[in-house]
């Protein structure tokens, strides 16, 4: 046997007895024993050959009363009136039950089997009946092999004995051989077609095999033979329902309920069907009928409550759901549906119900409770609590797109976690690629992080999925506008307008058209549409929208007029009670269920919506420059709405413009009411920056970045502030972050270039200046000036000239630009152009002292007597305009010194020193004049004072040279070493130290220092020439020859270079080459006796005695002179 088995009306235990009752009561079917109730042997003998069903035979076994009594107590599990298959999946053998729980009964059954075995051994007329009965007992005991042997024997001998087939088919069912079981049942039907239980058994087998049609046909055959069997109707209705024939299923449920009114399954099924197909009133009637029979059925209460809620009968629905909770507090559905109803009116109770529902069932069946609780937390601004609920929904049901989208929206709009939001929207798209909202939300996230290309792709996909939604075209048009593609943006906006024309009604279309025209900057068209709409339906909202359009069109007086009209309509509701929600915002929702939560009532002179109107009036006055009226309007907005953060912020700006002493208080109040007011933090940072309070300014920038981590402006502000406190490296980091967010931000590149310039990273600064010029459509004069100065400092005068020329074209009247251009020409050795530029600068600006000095320097560079006179005149003019100008005194002294007027030069340097005792350039120049005049002590005192004031490598080198002239080589070398330590790249310090070692005849050290001097100044002819001489003395003739050649290349007009190379050739025995060098030296310096003398030696070695004697004579004559 098997659990829950009930075949037909008599069951598998009704082998021999008649079926007394088909349906006794709701608990199940009455089972009969395997023994006949009455045994009449003569009747049995009389009818043995004509009856095929042993259940019709009545007999009595007097000698086995105890066994019969025991067997009558042995009932299989009974099938109650419920849906489901008769054939249970889990087979439980009878012998396993009675052997463990009723060992005495198990023993009695075995005794009965032994008794039947004895009867079978005796034989007789009842042999096959006894074998059939023993086979039935073997089946109950789980001895299938023995049972099969007995039943096969009976079937073979008596093919018409139906009960043998019946019990054998049970064995096949238990063993899973359904086809053979069907064959046995077919044999029964072949001999006896009026047995409903056989058709029921076949139906169960077909149902187990998945053949629903076959099962339904057999149930129908069973009902033809037993029309009053309610259980069969239940089973066939379940199959009709599974097959999808709902109407036939409902018909069977109705008949079953009529046959067995105490069973309400049919009513429940019918009510569910009507509820699911939307016939809520019929469903309410069905559930009401069911509750009349079972008033404590919580499921029916739940469904009736849901149906009433669907019809808008919320009070009745709440009563039913509350009653269902009271009847069965363990059901999660009533809590869930009651929470859905209470969500708008009593959020606290709704949260409690959602939580209880989740506590009762936290599986995927109740995933909507997590979802709706998360949505409710979001509406209450409790985002940190909403996130775990949406995560739970995703964990339970990954394919729930609403959870992915809601979690992404929280991350994007409130937590500022844009990357995580993008991942959530992407997951929603993977679940449902046709969900247009997922694409739009991900596009918004990409747009926030400035990834416009991907945002454009998502908006395009949303339009492809839903081409009939106008706002998607608006989103894409706005993005194209931000990307600078104005034509495409306009096309999208116009198409959205056309789409709205075809889909919207007349009223909404007017507003949509006005908004579109306003977006396209067609303000006249928008004003025309809105003015007409306001005339047809005058309302505050119409006038407010019209005023905003005038404000965008910069027609401020008309905007103020329309805002005042809106105020006029709003004053009419001065005494009207305005319901306010708990969050402080206007709530126009109907109070469906009061449930102990009474709305607050606020009575004011003006509604809060008037505060926005006053705020807009204030903005109009600000734009028109009427700051007094703007302050009055903003004060009115604040009086109506004391927590209006934007009004406080705008009033703070106005107070800054009118130079009030309290603008900071308004910014602080705005932030107190709205701690995430990004613009307020930035404005306060700018205010503190203007006041020099950089630490507070940077703190406000940090707060702004906390609110908007991808704000380019915040990074720009903070980078500029760090520049002001001279923290250039951190400033570069912030500006680089701004560039990463917006690679087209020219201001960020410019500021970073300035920081690089202070960090002396010239290449990077030049690169950023170049990028700024490429990004901006017009040339930026400030960038050109900065880059030109940077080129000038790096001695790239050609590029500096290009930048300054471009700057001069943009500002032809700027004297400073012409002066700088003249300096650049001078350094580039273009003296005529330098004079022209400096003269132009002096013509543009009178008494331009620095221009006179610079032009004097150019005249000095002409190296002519005329230039000397003009330079002296310019220096004197500069001193006439500014007698205390140190540069003019110093440069005039240097000019006088260069022309040999040492006393006058000394006086100019002394005058500069009298003006400023710490003028190092004048002290250094006077020390050189003293050295040239032979005043070594005076030279030493001046240079020593200059070194004490400014110990640069140049000053130290000059002092070392003076000490060398004073025959103090030790201190001289010490100064040279200090100069090298101060500037390891200063070549003159190495050169003078090498000369000192050379004079001391320490040629190896001299050569090493000459090498260092040449490394740091490859164009220093003197260092190369002296190194060659040192190599000659060290007998490195090849190396010396290379250096002489290099020195001659550097200065082909230096006679001493040819003379020294000629000496080397003479030493190496290369007399002809020596003769050439001497002759070249004499061509450059004709009166050099040494060159004639050495030439005579070279000629003599070539046996040119006459020429040699002539050169000797010339040398002697020159020496005598």
């Amino acid at each position: 046997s098997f659990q829950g088995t009930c075949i037909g009306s008599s069951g598998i235990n009704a082998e021999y007895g008649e079926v007394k009752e088909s349906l006794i009561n709701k608990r199940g079917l009455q089972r009969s024993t395997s023994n006949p109730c009455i045994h009449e042997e003569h009747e049995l003998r009389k009818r043995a050959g004509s009856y095929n069903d042993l259940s019709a035979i009545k007999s009595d076994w007097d000698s086995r009363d105890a066994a019969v009594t025991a067997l009558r107590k042995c009932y299989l599990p009974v099938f109650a009136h419920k849906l489901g298959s008769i054939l249970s999946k889990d087979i439980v053998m009878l012998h396993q039950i009675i052997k463990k729980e009723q060992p005495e009964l198990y023993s009695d059954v075995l005794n009965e089997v032994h008794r039947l075995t004895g009867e079978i051994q005796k034989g007789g007329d009842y042999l096959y009946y006894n074998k059939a009965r023993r086979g039935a007992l073997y089946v109950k005991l789980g001895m299938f092999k023995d049972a099969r042997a007995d039943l096969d024997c009976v079937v073979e001998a008596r093919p018409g004995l139906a009960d043998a087939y019946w019990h054998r088919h049970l064995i096949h069912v238990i063993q899973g051989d359904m086809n053979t079981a069907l064959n046995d049942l077919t044999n029964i039907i072949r001999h006896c077609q009026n047995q409903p239980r056989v058709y029921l058994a076949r139906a169960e087998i077909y149902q187990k095999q998945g053949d629903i049609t076959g099962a339904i046909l057999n149930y129908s055959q069973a009902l033809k033979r037993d029309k009053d069997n309610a259980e069969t109707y239940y089973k066939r209705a379940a199959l009709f329902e599974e097959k999808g024939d709902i109407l036939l299923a409902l018909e069977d449920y109705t008949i079953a309920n009529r046959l067995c009114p105490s069973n309400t399954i049919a009513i429940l099924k019918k009510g569910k069907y009507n509820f699911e197909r939307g016939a809520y009133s019929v469903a309410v009637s069905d559930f009401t009928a069911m509750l009349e029979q079972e008033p404590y059925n919580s499921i029916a209460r739940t469904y009736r409550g849901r149906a009433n809620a669907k019809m808008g009968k919320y009070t009745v629905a709440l009563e039913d759901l509350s009653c269902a909770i009271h009847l069965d507090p363990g059901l999660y559905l009533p809590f869930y549906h009651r929470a859905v109803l209470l969500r708008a009116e009593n959020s606290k109770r709704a949260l409690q119900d959602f939580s209880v529902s989740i506590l009762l069932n936290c599986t995927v069946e109740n995933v909507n409770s997590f979802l709706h609780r998360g949505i409710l937390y979001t509406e209450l601004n409790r985002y940190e609590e909403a996130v775990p609920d949406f995560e739970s929904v995703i964990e339970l049901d990954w394919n729930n797109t609403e959870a992915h989208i809601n979690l992404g929206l929280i991350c994007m709009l409130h937590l500022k976690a844009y990357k995580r939001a993008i991942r959530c929207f992407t997951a929603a798209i993977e679940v449902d690629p046709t969900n247009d909202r997922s694409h739009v939300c991900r596009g918004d996230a990409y747009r926030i992080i400035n990834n416009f290309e991907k945002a454009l792709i998502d908006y395009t996909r949303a339009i492809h999925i839903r081409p009939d939604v106008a706002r998607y075209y608006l989103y894409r048009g706005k993005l194209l506008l931000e990307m600078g593609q104005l034509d495409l943006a306009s096309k999208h906006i116009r198409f959205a307008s056309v789409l709205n024309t075809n889909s919207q009604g007349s009223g909404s279309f007017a507003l949509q058209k006005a908004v579109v025209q306003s977006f396209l900057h067609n303000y006249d068209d928008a004003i025309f549409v809105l003015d007409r709409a306001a005339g047809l339906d005058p309302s505050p909202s119409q006038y407010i929208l019209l005023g905003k359009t005038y404000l965008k069109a910069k027609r401020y007086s008309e905007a103020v007029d329309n805002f005042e009209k809106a105020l006029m309509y709003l004053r009419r509701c001065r005494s009207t009670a305005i319901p306010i929600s708990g969050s402080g915002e206007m709530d126009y929702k109907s109070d469906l269920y009061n449930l102990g939560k009474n709305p607050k009532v606020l009575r004011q002179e003006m509604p809060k919506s008037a505060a926005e109107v006053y705020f807009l009036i204030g903005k109009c006055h600000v734009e028109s420059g009427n700051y007094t009226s703007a302050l009055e309007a903003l004060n009115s907005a604040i009086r109506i709405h004391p927590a209006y953060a934007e009004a406080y912020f705008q009033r703070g700006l106005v107070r800054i413009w009118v130079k009030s002493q309290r603008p900071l208080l308004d910014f602080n109040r705005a932030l107190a009411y709205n701690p995430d007011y990004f613009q307020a933090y930035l404005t306060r940072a700018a205010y503190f920056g203007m006041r020099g309070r950089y630490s507070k300014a940077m703190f406000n920038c940090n707060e702004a970045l906390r609110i908007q981590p991808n704000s380019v402006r915040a990074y720009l502000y903070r980078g500029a502030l760090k520049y002001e406190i001279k923290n250039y490296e951190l400033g570069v980091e912030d500006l680089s972050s701004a560039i990463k967010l917006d690679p087209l931000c020219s201001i960020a590149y410019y500021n970073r270039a300035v920081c690089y310039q202070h960090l002396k990273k010239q290449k990077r600064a030049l690169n950023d200046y170049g990028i700024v010029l490429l990004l901006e459509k017009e040339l930026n004069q400030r960038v050109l000036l900065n880059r030109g100065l940077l080129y000038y400092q790096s001695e790239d005068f050609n590029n500096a000239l290009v930048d300054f020329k471009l700057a001069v074209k943009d500002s032809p009247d700027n004297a400073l630009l012409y002066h700088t251009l003249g300096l650049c020409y001078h350094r580039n050795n273009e003296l005529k152009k330098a004079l022209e530029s400096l003269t132009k600068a002096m013509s543009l600006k009178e008494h331009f002292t620095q221009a006179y000095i610079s032009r004097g320097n150019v005249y000095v560079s002409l190296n002519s007597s005329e230039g000397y006179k003009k330079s002296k005149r310019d220096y004197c003019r500069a001193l006439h305009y500014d007698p205390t100008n140190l540069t003019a005194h110093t440069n005039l002294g240097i000019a006088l010194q260069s022309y040999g007027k040492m006393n006058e030069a000394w006086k100019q340097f002394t005058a500069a020193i009298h003006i400023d005792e710490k003028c190092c350039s004048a002290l250094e120049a006077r020390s050189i004049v003293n050295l040239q005049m032979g005043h070594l002590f005076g030279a030493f005192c001046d240079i020593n004072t200059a070194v004490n004031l400014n110990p640069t490598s140049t000053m130290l080198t000059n002092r070392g040279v003076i000490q060398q002239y004073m025959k103090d080589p030790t201190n001289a070398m010490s100064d040279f070493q200090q100069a090298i330590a101060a500037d390891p790249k200063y070549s003159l310090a190495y050169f003078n130290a090498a000369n000192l070692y050379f004079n001391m005849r320490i040629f190896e050290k001299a050569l090493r220092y000459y090498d260092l001097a040449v490394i740091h100044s490859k164009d220093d002819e003197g260092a190369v020439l002296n190194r060659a001489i040192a190599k000659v003395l060290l007998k490195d003739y090849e190396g010396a020859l290379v250096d002489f050649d290099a020195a001659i290349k550097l200065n082909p007009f230096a006679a001493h270079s040819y003379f020294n190379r000629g000496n080397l050739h003479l030493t190496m025995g290369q007399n002809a080459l020596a003769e050439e060098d001497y002759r070249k030296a004499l061509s450059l310096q004709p009166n050099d006796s040494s060159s004639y003398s050495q030439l005579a030696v070279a000629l003599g070695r070539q046996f040119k005695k006459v020429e040699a004697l002539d050169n000797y004579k010339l040398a002697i004559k020159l020496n005598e002179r």
Side-chain angles (χ1 to χ4, degrees):
S1 64
F2 38 92
Q3 185 179 10
T5 302
C6 176
I7 305 298
S9 59
S10 59
I12 64 171
N13 290 325
E15 298 98 353
Y16 300 100
E18 285 187 342
V19 179
K20 294 184 178 180
E21 291 180 350
S22 174
L23 287 172
I24 303 300
N25 50 32
K26 283 175 56 177
R27 297 181 180 178
L29 301 178
Q30 183 69 30
R31 308 290 180 162
S32 62
T33 63
S34 61
N35 254 350
C37 295
I38 302 173
H39 177 58
E40 298 179 2
E41 184 176 353
H42 63 283
E43 290 292 343
L44 180 59
R45 291 179 180 273
K46 181 179 179 181
R47 296 156 51 189
S50 61
Y51 279 82
N52 296 318
D53 187 2
L54 295 181
S55 61
I57 300 175
K58 299 180 181 180
S59 62
D60 187 22
W61 301 85
D62 298 331
S63 60
R64 295 292 178 265
D65 291 338
V68 170
T69 303
L71 286 173
R72 284 177 178 171
K73 295 179 181 178
C74 179
Y75 298 125
L76 290 178
V78 195
F79 181 83
H81 290 298
K82 60 181 180 179
L83 299 177
S85 174
I86 293 177
L87 298 176
S88 175
K89 295 181 180 179
D90 300 324
I91 298 175
V92 180
M93 303 306 171
L94 182 63
H95 72 282
Q96 295 177 355
I97 298 175
I98 62 177
K99 187 174 182 180
K100 294 179 180 178
E101 299 180 359
Q102 299 179 356
E104 296 180 357
L105 178 60
Y106 184 75
S107 177
D108 291 340
V109 173
L110 286 178
N111 293 333
E112 177 67 13
V113 169
H114 294 322
R115 188 192 68 78
L116 289 173
T117 303
E119 292 293 333
I120 291 169
Q121 290 176 356
K122 294 178 181 179
D125 296 334
Y126 303 104
L127 172 64
Y128 297 106
Y129 299 111
N130 290 331
K131 282 190 176 183
R133 293 176 60 200
R134 189 176 68 175
L137 292 175
Y138 278 145
V139 170
K140 294 178 181 180
L141 293 174
M143 302 168 68
F144 302 124
K145 186 176 180 181
D146 296 334
R148 180 70 178 274
D150 283 346
L151 295 173
D152 287 344
C153 180
V154 173
V155 167
E156 185 177 354
R158 298 286 182 89
L161 193 57
D163 278 353
Y165 287 107
W166 176 262
H167 290 291
R168 193 173 69 174
H169 112 273
L170 293 177
I171 298 174
H172 293 313
V173 169
I174 293 171
Q175 293 177 346
D177 189 0
M178 299 299 177
N179 292 327
T180 308
L182 283 174
N183 292 334
D184 284 342
L185 293 173
T186 303
N187 288 326
I188 296 175
I189 293 173
R190 188 180 297 117
H191 294 91
C192 182
Q193 298 181 358
N194 295 322
Q195 286 291 329
R197 64 172 184 171
V198 178
Y199 292 102
L200 291 175
R202 290 184 65 185
E204 292 293 338
I205 293 174
Y206 280 124
Q207 185 176 356
K208 189 172 184 180
Q209 290 180 334
D211 187 358
I212 298 177
T213 303
I216 291 174
L217 291 174
N218 279 276
Y219 279 132
S220 300
Q221 292 295 326
L223 288 172
K224 287 181 180 179
R225 291 155 179 80
D226 188 4
K227 297 181 180 180
D228 297 330
N229 193 330
E231 184 179 358
T232 306
Y233 282 108
Y234 285 135
K235 294 175 182 178
R236 191 174 70 171
L239 289 177
F240 278 133
E241 187 177 3
E242 184 179 354
K243 191 177 179 181
D245 295 334
I246 305 298
L247 295 177
L248 295 176
L250 287 176
E251 184 179 350
D252 279 354
Y253 282 131
T254 304
I255 296 172
N257 184 64
R258 179 173 53 80
L259 294 174
C260 185
S262 61
N263 194 308
T264 56
I265 295 177
I267 303 177
L268 181 63
K269 287 287 184 178
K270 183 180 177 183
K272 286 182 179 180
Y273 169 72
N274 290 322
F275 177 82
E276 289 172 358
R277 69 186 182 92
Y280 301 118
S281 59
V282 180
V284 168
S285 301
D286 291 336
F287 294 127
T288 303
M290 180 176 178
L291 288 172
E292 289 176 357
Q293 296 187 27
E294 294 185 16
Y296 302 112
N297 192 308
S298 59
I299 297 176
R301 293 268 181 194
T302 302
Y303 273 101
R304 192 173 71 172
R306 292 174 64 185
N308 283 318
K310 292 288 186 180
M311 293 188 297
K313 300 177 180 179
Y314 301 113
T315 305
V316 180
L318 275 177
E319 291 176 357
D320 278 337
L321 293 172
S322 300
C323 186
I325 292 170
H326 178 73
L327 292 173
D328 189 356
L331 286 179
Y332 70 93
L333 278 176
F335 285 104
Y336 164 71
H337 291 291
R338 189 174 72 172
V340 171
L341 289 177
L342 296 176
R343 187 175 61 185
E345 294 300 321
N346 194 335
S347 57
K348 184 177 179 180
R349 176 62 62 83
L351 284 175
Q352 292 176 354
D353 283 349
F354 279 133
S355 300
V356 173
S357 178
I358 292 169
L359 183 65
L360 294 173
N361 186 358
C362 59
T363 63
V364 69
E365 296 177 353
N366 198 23
V367 70
N368 285 333
S369 291
F370 286 104
L371 180 63
H372 285 278
R373 190 174 70 172
I375 295 172
L376 184 55
Y377 277 135
T378 305
E379 293 173 354
L380 297 174
N381 299 327
R382 295 164 65 176
Y383 307 112
E384 295 181 355
E385 297 174 84
V387 169
D389 278 343
F390 292 130
E391 290 176 345
S392 299
V393 175
I394 293 170
E395 184 179 354
L396 292 171
D397 183 9
W398 174 261
N399 296 324
N400 194 307
T401 55
E402 290 81 3
H404 289 292
I405 294 174
N406 283 306
L407 181 58
L409 289 173
I410 291 176
C411 294
M412 179 177 69
L413 300 177
H414 305 290
L415 304 182
K416 312 301 180 185
Y418 302 113
K419 292 184 178 179
R420 185 182 179 188
I422 290 171
R423 290 197 298 270
C424 293
F425 297 139
T426 303
I429 292 170
E430 290 175 356
V431 173
D432 184 7
T434 61
N435 191 312
D436 54 319
R437 188 184 175 198
S438 304
H439 290 284
V440 171
C441 291
R442 191 172 70 173
D444 291 339
Y446 279 130
R447 184 179 59 81
I448 291 173
I449 64 175
N450 297 323
N451 194 340
F452 295 139
E453 293 181 358
K454 291 186 177 180
L456 188 63
I457 293 172
D458 278 336
Y459 288 145
T460 305
R461 288 174 177 170
I463 291 171
H464 180 72
I465 296 169
R466 288 291 305 277
D468 58 329
V469 181
R471 65 176 182 275
Y472 293 169
Y473 295 94
L474 294 176
Y475 296 158
R476 194 168 188 265
K478 184 178 180 181
L479 180 63
L480 290 169
L481 183 64
E482 294 179 6
M483 296 172 68
Q485 300 181 23
L486 302 181
D487 295 336
L488 287 175
S490 300
K491 289 180 181 178
H492 279 74
I493 302 303
R494 291 191 181 94
F495 188 78
S497 176
V498 173
L499 195 63
N500 277 327
T501 304
N502 297 330
S503 61
Q504 299 287 343
S506 59
S508 61
F509 164 65
L511 297 179
Q512 290 285 344
K513 184 177 179 181
V515 171
V516 170
Q517 296 298 335
S518 177
F519 180 81
L520 295 174
H521 300 284
N522 298 329
Y523 298 116
D524 293 336
D525 296 337
I527 290 170
F528 174 77
V529 173
L530 289 173
D531 196 7
R532 186 176 179 182
L536 296 173
D537 182 19
S539 63
S541 60
Q542 295 280 6
Y543 285 111
I544 291 172
L545 186 57
L546 183 57
K548 288 180 179 179
T549 308
Y550 275 118
L551 179 61
K552 289 182 180 180
K554 297 183 180 180
R555 296 164 62 176
Y556 303 117
S557 59
E558 292 94 334
V560 171
D561 293 340
N562 281 277
F563 289 139
E564 289 179 351
K565 289 180 181 179
L567 289 174
M568 180 182 67
Y569 280 96
L570 289 172
R571 288 192 185 99
R572 295 178 181 177
C573 59
R574 174 179 300 179
S575 60
T576 303
I578 303 173
I580 303 296
S581 65
S583 61
E585 298 179 352
M586 298 186 68
D587 187 3
Y588 297 103
K589 297 180 181 178
S590 60
D591 185 25
L592 299 178
Y593 314 105
N594 197 347
L595 296 177
K597 184 180 179 182
N598 295 322
K600 299 178 181 179
V601 177
L602 181 64
R603 298 182 180 273
Q604 296 179 337
E605 294 183 356
M606 295 287 286
K608 281 192 176 182
S609 56
E612 182 186 3
V613 181
Y614 278 112
F615 173 75
L616 294 171
I617 293 174
K619 289 187 69 175
C620 291
H621 288 309
V622 168
E623 295 295 335
S624 59
N626 189 356
Y627 298 123
T628 304
S629 299
L631 281 175
E632 293 177 358
L634 293 171
N635 290 335
S636 299
I638 292 171
R639 278 195 297 270
I640 295 173
H641 186 8
Y644 201 170
E646 292 183 358
Y648 282 110
F649 171 73
Q650 194 67 32
R651 191 173 71 175
L653 291 178
V654 174
R655 285 180 172 177
I656 289 178
W657 293 326
V658 299
K659 298 182 180 180
S660 175
Q661 297 181 355
R662 299 185 300 170
L664 194 60
L665 295 177
D666 284 336
F667 295 145
N668 294 339
R669 288 177 180 174
L671 290 171
Y673 291 117
N674 185 5
D676 294 333
Y677 201 159
F678 171 77
Q679 187 59 41
Y681 280 113
L682 279 188
T683 306
R684 199 165 67 169
Y687 179 79
F688 283 128
M690 289 189 299
R691 296 299 181 92
R693 301 167 69 179
Y694 300 118
S695 59
K696 288 192 174 183
M698 281 191 287
F699 171 78
N700 281 274
C701 287
N702 294 336
E703 290 297 314
L705 285 171
R706 176 185 60 81
I707 298 169
Q708 293 188 13
N710 296 324
S711 172
V712 178
R713 292 171 57 200
Y715 279 112
L716 282 175
Y717 283 20
R718 196 169 71 174
L721 292 170
K722 289 177 180 177
Y723 168 82
E724 292 292 338
I725 63 175
K726 298 181 179 181
N727 196 339
Y728 304 119
E729 293 182 354
L730 294 179
V732 167
E733 291 181 4
D734 282 340
L735 295 168
S736 299
S737 299
I739 291 169
K740 287 181 181 179
L741 294 171
D742 185 6
L744 302 178
C745 182
S746 59
I747 299 175
Y749 284 107
Y750 175 80
N751 289 343
R752 191 173 71 171
V754 174
C755 291
Y756 279 137
Q757 194 168 352
H758 282 82
L759 291 171
K760 297 181 180 180
K761 296 180 179 180
Q762 297 179 350
K763 291 184 179 179
R764 294 185 177 181
L766 290 172
N767 186 35
D768 282 347
Y769 282 136
I771 293 173
V772 174
L773 293 174
L774 290 173
L775 290 175
E776 296 186 353
K777 296 180 180 180
E778 298 181 357
L779 292 176
N780 191 320
Q781 186 180 14
R782 183 177 296 180
V783 176
L784 292 171
L785 286 175
N786 283 4
R787 192 173 72 168
L789 292 173
L790 194 57
Y791 280 131
Y792 186 87
Q793 291 173 1
S794 59
E795 299 183 357
D796 187 357
F797 303 114
N798 291 323
N799 285 325
L801 279 171
V802 173
D803 284 343
F804 290 137
K805 286 178 182 178
L806 292 172
V808 165
K809 288 181 180 180
D810 192 37
S811 299
D813 298 330
N814 193 324
L816 289 174
L817 274 177
Y818 278 103
H819 174 253
T820 307
L821 187 61
L823 292 177
C824 203
Y825 276 128
H826 184 199
R827 295 298 298 271
N828 207 35
N829 205 25
E830 299 180 34
L831 301 181
K832 291 184 179 180
K833 293 183 178 180
L835 290 173
E836 292 175 0
S837 296
L838 292 169
T839 303
K840 179 69 174 177
M842 288 185 286
S843 66
L844 293 172
K845 181 180 180 181
E846 294 182 358
H847 310 307
F848 197 172
T849 305
Q850 196 62 37
Y852 281 107
I853 295 172
S854 299
R855 193 171 70 172
N857 295 338
V858 177
Y859 281 129
V860 170
S861 299
L862 292 173
N863 198 18
S864 63
S865 58
E866 186 67 23
Y868 164 70
K869 292 179 182 179
K870 291 182 178 180
S871 67
K872 184 178 178 181
R873 182 183 59 192
D874 282 342
Y875 292 142
C876 291
R877 285 182 180 176
L879 289 172
H880 176 73
Y881 296 135
D882 185 7
T884 61
N885 192 295
L886 298 176
T887 305
H889 280 291
T890 303
N891 288 2
L892 179 58
I894 292 172
L896 294 170
Q897 177 191 4
S898 62
Y899 281 92
K901 297 183 179 183
M902 301 298 176
N903 288 328
E904 294 182 10
W906 189 90
K907 290 179 182 179
Q908 291 297 326
F909 296 141
T910 304
I913 293 169
H914 282 311
I915 295 170
D916 184 5
E917 295 179 354
K918 297 180 179 180
C919 182
C920 295
S921 59
L923 288 168
E924 181 186 13
R926 193 173 74 170
S927 69
I928 295 172
V929 170
N930 283 329
L931 180 63
Q932 290 176 338
M933 295 171 63
H935 300 300
L936 298 178
F937 182 72
F940 179 76
C941 291
D942 284 341
I943 196 65
N944 195 49
T945 303
V947 168
N948 291 333
L949 292 172
N950 187 17
T952 63
S953 57
T954 304
M955 298 290 186
L956 290 168
T957 302
N958 289 340
R959 190 173 71 174
V961 172
I962 293 173
Q963 287 181 342
Q964 189 175 358
Y965 276 102
M966 295 175 68
K967 298 181 180 181
D968 186 0
T970 304
N971 288 326
M973 183 57 70
S974 176
D975 282 339
F976 296 145
Q977 296 296 336
Q978 290 182 36
I980 292 170
D983 186 4
K985 296 182 180 181
Y986 188 55
S987 61
L988 283 178
Y990 293 105
F991 178 72
N992 285 292
N995 290 339
L996 186 57
Y997 280 123
F998 190 90
N999 292 333
M1000 297 170 65
R1001 304 189 67 79
I1002 307 175
F1003 301 118
E1004 291 82 1
K1005 287 189 177 181
L1007 180 60
R1008 186 168 70 250
Y1009 276 88
Y1010 283 134
D1011 290 336
L1012 292 172
V1014 172
I1015 289 172
H1016 295 296
S1017 180
K1018 296 180 181 181
D1019 298 335
D1020 190 350
E1021 170 209 350
V1024 176
L1025 184 61
N1026 285 4
R1027 186 173 69 173
I1029 296 171
K1031 288 180 179 180
V1032 170
L1033 295 174
L1034 293 172
K1035 298 182 179 181
D1036 182 9
Y1037 300 136
E1038 297 295 335
L1041 187 60
V1042 172
D1043 282 341
F1044 283 132
D1045 293 340
I1048 290 170
K1049 285 183 179 180
L1050 291 171
N1051 187 4
F1053 306 103
H1056 56 276
S1057 298
Y1058 292 101
F1059 176 78
N1060 286 319
R1061 192 173 69 173
N1063 290 338
L1064 179 58
H1065 284 308
L1066 193 64
T1067 303
M1068 296 172 67
Q1070 298 173 355
N1071 300 317
L1073 295 175
E1075 180 185 353
E1076 291 179 6
D1077 284 339
Y1078 291 140
R1079 291 187 185 279
K1080 184 67 176 177
L1082 286 170
S1083 67
L1084 296 171
Q1085 192 173 353
N1087 297 323
D1088 186 11
S1089 60
S1090 299
S1091 297
Y1092 281 110
S1093 177
Q1094 290 298 105
L1095 179 59
V1097 173
L1099 292 171
R1101 290 185 180 181
Q1102 296 180 54
F1103 303 103
K1104 298 177 182 180
K1105 296 181 179 181
V1106 177
E1107 295 182 12
L1109 288 173
D1110 293 339
N1111 281 283
Y1112 274 128
K1113 290 177 182 180
L1114 289 172
I1116 292 169
K1117 288 180 181 180
L1118 291 172
N1119 284 331
E1120 289 177 354
R1121 290 179 184 176

